[in-house]
Amino acid sequence: MKGETTMAAPVVRTPASQGLDLLVQARRSVEPGLREWAGQLPAVARRWAGYHLGWLDAEGRPSVEAAGKAVRPALAFTAARAVGGTGQDALGAAVAVELVHAFSLAHDDIFDGDALRRHRPTVWKAFGVPAAVLTGDALLSLACKVLADTPGPQSARSVSWLAEAVAQLVEGEAADVAFETRTDVTVAEYTAMAADKTGALMGCACALGALAGGGGDVRAGYMAEFGRHLGVAFQIVDDLLGIFGDPAATGKPVGADLAARKKTYPVLAALASATPAGQQLAAMYAAEGALGEEQRVRATQWVADAGGRQQAQQAANLELAAAFTALVKADPQPQALDELTALAGVLTHRKA
């Protein structure tokens, strides 16, 4: 009726929107710290790192490129709140784990021969392999300095925890590289590799956040277990997207991982199935030569027909359940429990 005021519909925050908000907030919170610490690098390394992190173009001029998801900083901030601290308590931890993640990506791009990251040349492609190796080294050393120089009673413990996580990450990378030339890789070996390569740093992010928030070693250990299992689930979902994801969302062509003959979880499950589809996939993986689009489409169907897609999704669900079992043991604050649940949901039900 005339004169009545129309009330706006209330905004309902779903767990998915809450998880996305936490990632956005984490990126905003960690970015100034990243820039400040990276600014302490020597001039040449600062330029390469600035390019890798999206702040500079190849000529060293200011640039605004799409940033990463800030998954690990989000975990660190939320883990600090989970044990009764604040997000600000975990700023040093968040910066450190993001720097280590950036280090791993700079080296990963060399291992995988990836020429593009976020739609522009990778560091090795833009500046050469030596520059990319040194960029990663500089970022890793800076991450240790961040933790060592951040005031707090748990500084030394945090550096030790980060060092152990990096050692596990290296072990996972080594296994992943070895898988490329092996024909007998098992699903169990793959899961162990993912726990090291992806799970170790996500677990470390949670542990460092908990330590910074005053949670102590025991609760930090449970938070680390939560992050490690979540990391494996995250990696398996990434594997599924690499085969079955929408190219418009992932930015990769159909069957990109199959074209590279990557031994991901769904592929390994399919190869071990002893089904006709699994046998056809095995023959394709053993053959030489590049795979055309039609072959990639067929291979995608074979993975699904052999049960690889279903088994991978089930494995991701089991890892997620194990993550939540560990999280409950950490006795998190109720609000932070909701936040970590939302984050886990977003990370394991994403489109890209």
PDB file of all heavy atoms in Angstrom, residues 221-261:
ATOM      1  N   GLY A 221      48.890 -29.730  17.827  1.00  0.00           N
ATOM      2  CA  GLY A 221      49.049 -31.018  17.154  1.00  0.00           C
ATOM      3  C   GLY A 221      47.756 -31.522  16.547  1.00  0.00           C
ATOM      4  O   GLY A 221      47.745 -32.032  15.417  1.00  0.00           O
ATOM      5  N   TYR A 222      46.663 -31.373  17.276  1.00  0.00           N
ATOM      6  CA  TYR A 222      45.369 -31.777  16.725  1.00  0.00           C
ATOM      7  C   TYR A 222      44.971 -30.881  15.551  1.00  0.00           C
ATOM      8  O   TYR A 222      44.417 -31.354  14.548  1.00  0.00           O
ATOM      9  CB  TYR A 222      44.288 -31.730  17.804  1.00  0.00           C
ATOM     10  CG  TYR A 222      44.363 -32.863  18.793  1.00  0.00           C
ATOM     11  CD1 TYR A 222      44.370 -32.610  20.169  1.00  0.00           C
ATOM     12  CD2 TYR A 222      44.426 -34.188  18.373  1.00  0.00           C
ATOM     13  CE1 TYR A 222      44.434 -33.650  21.091  1.00  0.00           C
ATOM     14  CE2 TYR A 222      44.499 -35.230  19.279  1.00  0.00           C
ATOM     15  CZ  TYR A 222      44.499 -34.958  20.639  1.00  0.00           C
ATOM     16  OH  TYR A 222      44.566 -35.996  21.542  1.00  0.00           O
ATOM     17  N   MET A 223      45.282 -29.581  15.661  1.00  0.00           N
ATOM     18  CA  MET A 223      44.974 -28.676  14.552  1.00  0.00           C
ATOM     19  C   MET A 223      45.802 -29.040  13.320  1.00  0.00           C
ATOM     20  O   MET A 223      45.321 -28.972  12.184  1.00  0.00           O
ATOM     21  CB  MET A 223      45.254 -27.234  14.971  1.00  0.00           C
ATOM     22  CG  MET A 223      44.293 -26.661  16.011  1.00  0.00           C
ATOM     23  SD  MET A 223      42.556 -26.655  15.480  1.00  0.00           S
ATOM     24  CE  MET A 223      42.658 -25.696  13.994  1.00  0.00           C
ATOM     25  N   ALA A 224      47.057 -29.446  13.551  1.00  0.00           N
ATOM     26  CA  ALA A 224      47.902 -29.869  12.438  1.00  0.00           C
ATOM     27  C   ALA A 224      47.326 -31.110  11.755  1.00  0.00           C
ATOM     28  O   ALA A 224      47.336 -31.226  10.519  1.00  0.00           O
ATOM     29  CB  ALA A 224      49.321 -30.156  12.938  1.00  0.00           C
ATOM     30  N   GLU A 225      46.826 -32.033  12.571  1.00  0.00           N
ATOM     31  CA  GLU A 225      46.213 -33.245  12.007  1.00  0.00           C
ATOM     32  C   GLU A 225      44.976 -32.883  11.179  1.00  0.00           C
ATOM     33  O   GLU A 225      44.755 -33.449  10.097  1.00  0.00           O
ATOM     34  CB  GLU A 225      45.838 -34.197  13.138  1.00  0.00           C
ATOM     35  CG  GLU A 225      45.389 -35.572  12.669  1.00  0.00           C
ATOM     36  CD  GLU A 225      45.061 -36.509  13.819  1.00  0.00           C
ATOM     37  OE1 GLU A 225      45.412 -36.197  14.980  1.00  0.00           O
ATOM     38  OE2 GLU A 225      44.436 -37.560  13.554  1.00  0.00           O
ATOM     39  N   PHE A 226      44.189 -31.947  11.686  1.00  0.00           N
ATOM     40  CA  PHE A 226      43.038 -31.467  10.926  1.00  0.00           C
ATOM     41  C   PHE A 226      43.485 -30.935   9.561  1.00  0.00           C
ATOM     42  O   PHE A 226      42.953 -31.315   8.508  1.00  0.00           O
ATOM     43  CB  PHE A 226      42.316 -30.368  11.715  1.00  0.00           C
ATOM     44  CG  PHE A 226      41.398 -29.511  10.883  1.00  0.00           C
ATOM     45  CD1 PHE A 226      40.166 -29.984  10.462  1.00  0.00           C
ATOM     46  CD2 PHE A 226      41.777 -28.223  10.517  1.00  0.00           C
ATOM     47  CE1 PHE A 226      39.320 -29.191   9.686  1.00  0.00           C
ATOM     48  CE2 PHE A 226      40.941 -27.425   9.741  1.00  0.00           C
ATOM     49  CZ  PHE A 226      39.707 -27.910   9.326  1.00  0.00           C
ATOM     50  N   GLY A 227      44.473 -30.049   9.567  1.00  0.00           N
ATOM     51  CA  GLY A 227      44.931 -29.451   8.320  1.00  0.00           C
ATOM     52  C   GLY A 227      45.556 -30.449   7.368  1.00  0.00           C
ATOM     53  O   GLY A 227      45.396 -30.341   6.149  1.00  0.00           O
ATOM     54  N   ARG A 228      46.262 -31.441   7.915  1.00  0.00           N
ATOM     55  CA  ARG A 228      46.904 -32.446   7.058  1.00  0.00           C
ATOM     56  C   ARG A 228      45.859 -33.287   6.319  1.00  0.00           C
ATOM     57  O   ARG A 228      45.965 -33.498   5.098  1.00  0.00           O
ATOM     58  CB  ARG A 228      47.804 -33.337   7.907  1.00  0.00           C
ATOM     59  CG  ARG A 228      48.721 -34.251   7.096  1.00  0.00           C
ATOM     60  CD  ARG A 228      49.676 -34.990   8.034  1.00  0.00           C
ATOM     61  NE  ARG A 228      50.570 -35.876   7.298  1.00  0.00           N
ATOM     62  CZ  ARG A 228      51.742 -35.523   6.799  1.00  0.00           C
ATOM     63  NH1 ARG A 228      52.168 -34.294   6.932  1.00  0.00           N
ATOM     64  NH2 ARG A 228      52.498 -36.405   6.154  1.00  0.00           N
ATOM     65  N   HIS A 229      44.837 -33.750   7.039  1.00  0.00           N
ATOM     66  CA  HIS A 229      43.789 -34.526   6.370  1.00  0.00           C
ATOM     67  C   HIS A 229      43.006 -33.647   5.391  1.00  0.00           C
ATOM     68  O   HIS A 229      42.634 -34.095   4.295  1.00  0.00           O
ATOM     69  CB  HIS A 229      42.840 -35.120   7.409  1.00  0.00           C
ATOM     70  CG  HIS A 229      43.376 -36.330   8.099  1.00  0.00           C
ATOM     71  ND1 HIS A 229      43.613 -37.514   7.450  1.00  0.00           N
ATOM     72  CD2 HIS A 229      43.735 -36.539   9.403  1.00  0.00           C
ATOM     73  CE1 HIS A 229      44.089 -38.413   8.305  1.00  0.00           C
ATOM     74  NE2 HIS A 229      44.174 -37.845   9.496  1.00  0.00           N
ATOM     75  N   LEU A 230      42.763 -32.412   5.776  1.00  0.00           N
ATOM     76  CA  LEU A 230      42.071 -31.493   4.876  1.00  0.00           C
ATOM     77  C   LEU A 230      42.899 -31.278   3.607  1.00  0.00           C
ATOM     78  O   LEU A 230      42.354 -31.209   2.495  1.00  0.00           O
ATOM     79  CB  LEU A 230      41.825 -30.157   5.575  1.00  0.00           C
ATOM     80  CG  LEU A 230      41.165 -29.054   4.731  1.00  0.00           C
ATOM     81  CD1 LEU A 230      39.800 -29.506   4.216  1.00  0.00           C
ATOM     82  CD2 LEU A 230      41.023 -27.765   5.567  1.00  0.00           C
ATOM     83  N   GLY A 231      44.217 -31.212   3.766  1.00  0.00           N
ATOM     84  CA  GLY A 231      45.091 -31.038   2.605  1.00  0.00           C
ATOM     85  C   GLY A 231      45.011 -32.197   1.633  1.00  0.00           C
ATOM     86  O   GLY A 231      45.025 -32.002   0.412  1.00  0.00           O
ATOM     87  N   VAL A 232      44.916 -33.414   2.150  1.00  0.00           N
ATOM     88  CA  VAL A 232      44.789 -34.578   1.265  1.00  0.00           C
ATOM     89  C   VAL A 232      43.460 -34.531   0.523  1.00  0.00           C
ATOM     90  O   VAL A 232      43.393 -34.768  -0.696  1.00  0.00           O
ATOM     91  CB  VAL A 232      44.917 -35.897   2.054  1.00  0.00           C
ATOM     92  CG1 VAL A 232      44.714 -37.097   1.132  1.00  0.00           C
ATOM     93  CG2 VAL A 232      46.279 -35.988   2.730  1.00  0.00           C
ATOM     94  N   ALA A 233      42.381 -34.197   1.249  1.00  0.00           N
ATOM     95  CA  ALA A 233      41.074 -34.073   0.596  1.00  0.00           C
ATOM     96  C   ALA A 233      41.114 -32.990  -0.469  1.00  0.00           C
ATOM     97  O   ALA A 233      40.586 -33.157  -1.580  1.00  0.00           O
ATOM     98  CB  ALA A 233      39.999 -33.748   1.643  1.00  0.00           C
ATOM     99  N   PHE A 234      41.753 -31.870  -0.153  1.00  0.00           N
ATOM    100  CA  PHE A 234      41.908 -30.752  -1.093  1.00  0.00           C
ATOM    101  C   PHE A 234      42.623 -31.212  -2.360  1.00  0.00           C
ATOM    102  O   PHE A 234      42.222 -30.891  -3.480  1.00  0.00           O
ATOM    103  CB  PHE A 234      42.692 -29.639  -0.394  1.00  0.00           C
ATOM    104  CG  PHE A 234      42.959 -28.418  -1.232  1.00  0.00           C
ATOM    105  CD1 PHE A 234      42.039 -27.383  -1.275  1.00  0.00           C
ATOM    106  CD2 PHE A 234      44.136 -28.288  -1.956  1.00  0.00           C
ATOM    107  CE1 PHE A 234      42.291 -26.241  -2.033  1.00  0.00           C
ATOM    108  CE2 PHE A 234      44.391 -27.165  -2.714  1.00  0.00           C
ATOM    109  CZ  PHE A 234      43.463 -26.131  -2.751  1.00  0.00           C
ATOM    110  N   GLN A 235      43.706 -32.006  -2.187  1.00  0.00           N
ATOM    111  CA  GLN A 235      44.474 -32.476  -3.332  1.00  0.00           C
ATOM    112  C   GLN A 235      43.663 -33.443  -4.190  1.00  0.00           C
ATOM    113  O   GLN A 235      43.715 -33.381  -5.425  1.00  0.00           O
ATOM    114  CB  GLN A 235      45.749 -33.153  -2.853  1.00  0.00           C
ATOM    115  CG  GLN A 235      46.661 -33.631  -3.978  1.00  0.00           C
ATOM    116  CD  GLN A 235      47.127 -32.487  -4.862  1.00  0.00           C
ATOM    117  OE1 GLN A 235      47.764 -31.565  -4.378  1.00  0.00           O
ATOM    118  NE2 GLN A 235      46.805 -32.541  -6.145  1.00  0.00           N
ATOM    119  N   ILE A 236      42.909 -34.327  -3.556  1.00  0.00           N
ATOM    120  CA  ILE A 236      42.101 -35.278  -4.327  1.00  0.00           C
ATOM    121  C   ILE A 236      41.023 -34.545  -5.125  1.00  0.00           C
ATOM    122  O   ILE A 236      40.756 -34.884  -6.294  1.00  0.00           O
ATOM    123  CB  ILE A 236      41.480 -36.338  -3.399  1.00  0.00           C
ATOM    124  CG1 ILE A 236      42.582 -37.213  -2.779  1.00  0.00           C
ATOM    125  CG2 ILE A 236      40.497 -37.226  -4.168  1.00  0.00           C
ATOM    126  CD1 ILE A 236      42.088 -38.180  -1.723  1.00  0.00           C
ATOM    127  N   VAL A 237      40.407 -33.547  -4.510  1.00  0.00           N
ATOM    128  CA  VAL A 237      39.412 -32.749  -5.230  1.00  0.00           C
ATOM    129  C   VAL A 237      40.078 -32.030  -6.403  1.00  0.00           C
ATOM    130  O   VAL A 237      39.502 -31.924  -7.497  1.00  0.00           O
ATOM    131  CB  VAL A 237      38.727 -31.744  -4.280  1.00  0.00           C
ATOM    132  CG1 VAL A 237      37.887 -30.735  -5.064  1.00  0.00           C
ATOM    133  CG2 VAL A 237      37.843 -32.486  -3.279  1.00  0.00           C
ATOM    134  N   ASP A 238      41.298 -31.543  -6.187  1.00  0.00           N
ATOM    135  CA  ASP A 238      42.045 -30.902  -7.269  1.00  0.00           C
ATOM    136  C   ASP A 238      42.274 -31.887  -8.413  1.00  0.00           C
ATOM    137  O   ASP A 238      42.180 -31.525  -9.595  1.00  0.00           O
ATOM    138  CB  ASP A 238      43.382 -30.395  -6.727  1.00  0.00           C
ATOM    139  CG  ASP A 238      44.020 -29.344  -7.623  1.00  0.00           C
ATOM    140  OD1 ASP A 238      43.366 -28.318  -7.884  1.00  0.00           O
ATOM    141  OD2 ASP A 238      45.170 -29.553  -8.062  1.00  0.00           O
ATOM    142  N   ASP A 239      42.566 -33.140  -8.058  1.00  0.00           N
ATOM    143  CA  ASP A 239      42.748 -34.185  -9.074  1.00  0.00           C
ATOM    144  C   ASP A 239      41.461 -34.397  -9.883  1.00  0.00           C
ATOM    145  O   ASP A 239      41.503 -34.564 -11.112  1.00  0.00           O
ATOM    146  CB  ASP A 239      43.122 -35.509  -8.408  1.00  0.00           C
ATOM    147  CG  ASP A 239      44.493 -35.469  -7.750  1.00  0.00           C
ATOM    148  OD1 ASP A 239      45.270 -34.543  -8.043  1.00  0.00           O
ATOM    149  OD2 ASP A 239      44.770 -36.375  -6.952  1.00  0.00           O
ATOM    150  N   LEU A 240      40.341 -34.411  -9.188  1.00  0.00           N
ATOM    151  CA  LEU A 240      39.055 -34.591  -9.870  1.00  0.00           C
ATOM    152  C   LEU A 240      38.776 -33.432 -10.818  1.00  0.00           C
ATOM    153  O   LEU A 240      38.312 -33.637 -11.944  1.00  0.00           O
ATOM    154  CB  LEU A 240      37.930 -34.724  -8.842  1.00  0.00           C
ATOM    155  CG  LEU A 240      37.889 -36.061  -8.091  1.00  0.00           C
ATOM    156  CD1 LEU A 240      36.983 -35.967  -6.868  1.00  0.00           C
ATOM    157  CD2 LEU A 240      37.403 -37.172  -9.020  1.00  0.00           C
ATOM    158  N   LEU A 241      39.091 -32.216 -10.373  1.00  0.00           N
ATOM    159  CA  LEU A 241      38.876 -31.054 -11.224  1.00  0.00           C
ATOM    160  C   LEU A 241      39.801 -31.082 -12.441  1.00  0.00           C
ATOM    161  O   LEU A 241      39.426 -30.609 -13.515  1.00  0.00           O
ATOM    162  CB  LEU A 241      39.104 -29.763 -10.424  1.00  0.00           C
ATOM    163  CG  LEU A 241      38.061 -29.449  -9.356  1.00  0.00           C
ATOM    164  CD1 LEU A 241      38.501 -28.257  -8.520  1.00  0.00           C
ATOM    165  CD2 LEU A 241      36.706 -29.171  -9.999  1.00  0.00           C
ATOM    166  N   GLY A 242      40.997 -31.648 -12.254  1.00  0.00           N
ATOM    167  CA  GLY A 242      41.943 -31.730 -13.368  1.00  0.00           C
ATOM    168  C   GLY A 242      41.470 -32.634 -14.484  1.00  0.00           C
ATOM    169  O   GLY A 242      41.955 -32.540 -15.618  1.00  0.00           O
ATOM    170  N   ILE A 243      40.517 -33.513 -14.173  1.00  0.00           N
ATOM    171  CA  ILE A 243      39.967 -34.425 -15.190  1.00  0.00           C
ATOM    172  C   ILE A 243      38.539 -34.051 -15.563  1.00  0.00           C
ATOM    173  O   ILE A 243      38.193 -33.977 -16.745  1.00  0.00           O
ATOM    174  CB  ILE A 243      39.994 -35.882 -14.684  1.00  0.00           C
ATOM    175  CG1 ILE A 243      41.432 -36.319 -14.411  1.00  0.00           C
ATOM    176  CG2 ILE A 243      39.345 -36.823 -15.705  1.00  0.00           C
ATOM    177  CD1 ILE A 243      41.545 -37.707 -13.779  1.00  0.00           C
ATOM    178  N   PHE A 244      37.725 -33.793 -14.546  1.00  0.00           N
ATOM    179  CA  PHE A 244      36.293 -33.617 -14.787  1.00  0.00           C
ATOM    180  C   PHE A 244      35.816 -32.164 -14.626  1.00  0.00           C
ATOM    181  O   PHE A 244      34.630 -31.892 -14.792  1.00  0.00           O
ATOM    182  CB  PHE A 244      35.488 -34.502 -13.823  1.00  0.00           C
ATOM    183  CG  PHE A 244      35.824 -35.963 -13.920  1.00  0.00           C
ATOM    184  CD1 PHE A 244      36.649 -36.574 -12.993  1.00  0.00           C
ATOM    185  CD2 PHE A 244      35.324 -36.731 -14.963  1.00  0.00           C
ATOM    186  CE1 PHE A 244      36.959 -37.927 -13.079  1.00  0.00           C
ATOM    187  CE2 PHE A 244      35.634 -38.083 -15.064  1.00  0.00           C
ATOM    188  CZ  PHE A 244      36.455 -38.681 -14.116  1.00  0.00           C
ATOM    189  N   GLY A 245      36.721 -31.261 -14.290  1.00  0.00           N
ATOM    190  CA  GLY A 245      36.324 -29.880 -14.059  1.00  0.00           C
ATOM    191  C   GLY A 245      35.895 -29.166 -15.331  1.00  0.00           C
ATOM    192  O   GLY A 245      36.265 -29.551 -16.443  1.00  0.00           O
ATOM    193  N   ASP A 246      35.117 -28.111 -15.156  1.00  0.00           N
ATOM    194  CA  ASP A 246      34.669 -27.278 -16.267  1.00  0.00           C
ATOM    195  C   ASP A 246      35.833 -26.404 -16.720  1.00  0.00           C
ATOM    196  O   ASP A 246      36.343 -25.598 -15.924  1.00  0.00           O
ATOM    197  CB  ASP A 246      33.496 -26.409 -15.811  1.00  0.00           C
ATOM    198  CG  ASP A 246      32.968 -25.498 -16.901  1.00  0.00           C
ATOM    199  OD1 ASP A 246      33.511 -25.527 -18.029  1.00  0.00           O
ATOM    200  OD2 ASP A 246      32.030 -24.735 -16.626  1.00  0.00           O
ATOM    201  N   PRO A 247      36.281 -26.520 -17.963  1.00  0.00           N
ATOM    202  CA  PRO A 247      37.415 -25.719 -18.425  1.00  0.00           C
ATOM    203  C   PRO A 247      37.211 -24.221 -18.235  1.00  0.00           C
ATOM    204  O   PRO A 247      38.166 -23.481 -17.999  1.00  0.00           O
ATOM    205  CB  PRO A 247      37.510 -26.077 -19.914  1.00  0.00           C
ATOM    206  CG  PRO A 247      36.907 -27.437 -20.009  1.00  0.00           C
ATOM    207  CD  PRO A 247      35.791 -27.441 -19.006  1.00  0.00           C
ATOM    208  N   ALA A 248      35.957 -23.764 -18.307  1.00  0.00           N
ATOM    209  CA  ALA A 248      35.677 -22.339 -18.122  1.00  0.00           C
ATOM    210  C   ALA A 248      36.005 -21.894 -16.707  1.00  0.00           C
ATOM    211  O   ALA A 248      36.355 -20.736 -16.466  1.00  0.00           O
ATOM    212  CB  ALA A 248      34.212 -22.056 -18.434  1.00  0.00           C
ATOM    213  N   ALA A 249      35.884 -22.818 -15.742  1.00  0.00           N
ATOM    214  CA  ALA A 249      36.174 -22.489 -14.340  1.00  0.00           C
ATOM    215  C   ALA A 249      37.617 -22.781 -13.973  1.00  0.00           C
ATOM    216  O   ALA A 249      38.261 -22.002 -13.273  1.00  0.00           O
ATOM    217  CB  ALA A 249      35.235 -23.267 -13.418  1.00  0.00           C
ATOM    218  N   THR A 250      38.159 -23.904 -14.450  1.00  0.00           N
ATOM    219  CA  THR A 250      39.510 -24.298 -14.053  1.00  0.00           C
ATOM    220  C   THR A 250      40.593 -23.602 -14.864  1.00  0.00           C
ATOM    221  O   THR A 250      41.734 -23.499 -14.418  1.00  0.00           O
ATOM    222  CB  THR A 250      39.693 -25.813 -14.224  1.00  0.00           C
ATOM    223  OG1 THR A 250      39.574 -26.157 -15.622  1.00  0.00           O
ATOM    224  CG2 THR A 250      38.652 -26.586 -13.420  1.00  0.00           C
ATOM    225  N   GLY A 251      40.232 -23.137 -16.063  1.00  0.00           N
ATOM    226  CA  GLY A 251      41.228 -22.529 -16.932  1.00  0.00           C
ATOM    227  C   GLY A 251      42.096 -23.544 -17.647  1.00  0.00           C
ATOM    228  O   GLY A 251      43.052 -23.203 -18.336  1.00  0.00           O
ATOM    229  N   LYS A 252      41.776 -24.838 -17.489  1.00  0.00           N
ATOM    230  CA  LYS A 252      42.523 -25.900 -18.143  1.00  0.00           C
ATOM    231  C   LYS A 252      41.660 -26.560 -19.213  1.00  0.00           C
ATOM    232  O   LYS A 252      40.444 -26.645 -19.056  1.00  0.00           O
ATOM    233  CB  LYS A 252      42.933 -26.978 -17.127  1.00  0.00           C
ATOM    234  CG  LYS A 252      43.859 -26.513 -16.026  1.00  0.00           C
ATOM    235  CD  LYS A 252      44.178 -27.681 -15.093  1.00  0.00           C
ATOM    236  CE  LYS A 252      45.105 -27.272 -13.971  1.00  0.00           C
ATOM    237  NZ  LYS A 252      45.403 -28.425 -13.073  1.00  0.00           N
ATOM    238  N   PRO A 253      42.258 -27.046 -20.295  1.00  0.00           N
ATOM    239  CA  PRO A 253      41.479 -27.763 -21.303  1.00  0.00           C
ATOM    240  C   PRO A 253      40.948 -29.079 -20.759  1.00  0.00           C
ATOM    241  O   PRO A 253      41.439 -29.587 -19.740  1.00  0.00           O
ATOM    242  CB  PRO A 253      42.474 -27.994 -22.439  1.00  0.00           C
ATOM    243  CG  PRO A 253      43.816 -27.942 -21.782  1.00  0.00           C
ATOM    244  CD  PRO A 253      43.684 -26.943 -20.671  1.00  0.00           C
ATOM    245  N   VAL A 254      39.951 -29.645 -21.424  1.00  0.00           N
ATOM    246  CA  VAL A 254      39.376 -30.921 -21.003  1.00  0.00           C
ATOM    247  C   VAL A 254      40.474 -31.983 -20.921  1.00  0.00           C
ATOM    248  O   VAL A 254      41.274 -32.136 -21.841  1.00  0.00           O
ATOM    249  CB  VAL A 254      38.283 -31.378 -21.995  1.00  0.00           C
ATOM    250  CG1 VAL A 254      37.805 -32.783 -21.649  1.00  0.00           C
ATOM    251  CG2 VAL A 254      37.114 -30.410 -21.977  1.00  0.00           C
ATOM    252  N   GLY A 255      40.510 -32.698 -19.780  1.00  0.00           N
ATOM    253  CA  GLY A 255      41.469 -33.783 -19.620  1.00  0.00           C
ATOM    254  C   GLY A 255      42.915 -33.351 -19.604  1.00  0.00           C
ATOM    255  O   GLY A 255      43.797 -34.103 -20.031  1.00  0.00           O
ATOM    256  N   ALA A 256      43.202 -32.155 -19.094  1.00  0.00           N
ATOM    257  CA  ALA A 256      44.582 -31.644 -19.110  1.00  0.00           C
ATOM    258  C   ALA A 256      45.523 -32.573 -18.348  1.00  0.00           C
ATOM    259  O   ALA A 256      46.641 -32.855 -18.809  1.00  0.00           O
ATOM    260  CB  ALA A 256      44.614 -30.247 -18.509  1.00  0.00           C
ATOM    261  N   ASP A 257      45.103 -33.056 -17.193  1.00  0.00           N
ATOM    262  CA  ASP A 257      45.968 -33.951 -16.420  1.00  0.00           C
ATOM    263  C   ASP A 257      46.162 -35.293 -17.119  1.00  0.00           C
ATOM    264  O   ASP A 257      47.217 -35.914 -17.009  1.00  0.00           O
ATOM    265  CB  ASP A 257      45.370 -34.173 -15.025  1.00  0.00           C
ATOM    266  CG  ASP A 257      45.593 -32.975 -14.112  1.00  0.00           C
ATOM    267  OD1 ASP A 257      46.236 -32.002 -14.549  1.00  0.00           O
ATOM    268  OD2 ASP A 257      45.125 -33.017 -12.963  1.00  0.00           O
ATOM    269  N   LEU A 258      45.134 -35.725 -17.841  1.00  0.00           N
ATOM    270  CA  LEU A 258      45.258 -36.973 -18.591  1.00  0.00           C
ATOM    271  C   LEU A 258      46.224 -36.792 -19.763  1.00  0.00           C
ATOM    272  O   LEU A 258      47.016 -37.691 -20.073  1.00  0.00           O
ATOM    273  CB  LEU A 258      43.887 -37.414 -19.104  1.00  0.00           C
ATOM    274  CG  LEU A 258      42.880 -37.818 -18.021  1.00  0.00           C
ATOM    275  CD1 LEU A 258      41.499 -38.020 -18.642  1.00  0.00           C
ATOM    276  CD2 LEU A 258      43.327 -39.083 -17.304  1.00  0.00           C
ATOM    277  N   ALA A 259      46.160 -35.636 -20.402  1.00  0.00           N
ATOM    278  CA  ALA A 259      47.066 -35.369 -21.521  1.00  0.00           C
ATOM    279  C   ALA A 259      48.517 -35.409 -21.059  1.00  0.00           C
ATOM    280  O   ALA A 259      49.407 -35.836 -21.802  1.00  0.00           O
ATOM    281  CB  ALA A 259      46.745 -34.006 -22.136  1.00  0.00           C
ATOM    282  N   ALA A 260      48.753 -34.978 -19.815  1.00  0.00           N
ATOM    283  CA  ALA A 260      50.105 -35.009 -19.257  1.00  0.00           C
ATOM    284  C   ALA A 260      50.427 -36.363 -18.637  1.00  0.00           C
ATOM    285  O   ALA A 260      51.526 -36.560 -18.113  1.00  0.00           O
ATOM    286  CB  ALA A 260      50.250 -33.917 -18.197  1.00  0.00           C
ATOM    287  N   ARG A 261      49.452 -37.284 -18.712  1.00  0.00           N
ATOM    288  CA  ARG A 261      49.583 -38.623 -18.140  1.00  0.00           C
ATOM    289  C   ARG A 261      49.964 -38.581 -16.653  1.00  0.00           C
ATOM    290  O   ARG A 261      50.783 -39.366 -16.177  1.00  0.00           O
ATOM    291  CB  ARG A 261      50.588 -39.455 -18.932  1.00  0.00           C
ATOM    292  CG  ARG A 261      50.109 -39.811 -20.348  1.00  0.00           C
ATOM    293  CD  ARG A 261      51.156 -40.612 -21.094  1.00  0.00           C
ATOM    294  NE  ARG A 261      50.682 -41.158 -22.346  1.00  0.00           N
ATOM    295  CZ  ARG A 261      50.637 -40.473 -23.497  1.00  0.00           C
ATOM    296  NH1 ARG A 261      51.053 -39.211 -23.524  1.00  0.00           N
ATOM    297  NH2 ARG A 261      50.198 -41.046 -24.604  1.00  0.00           N
TER     298      ARG A 261
END
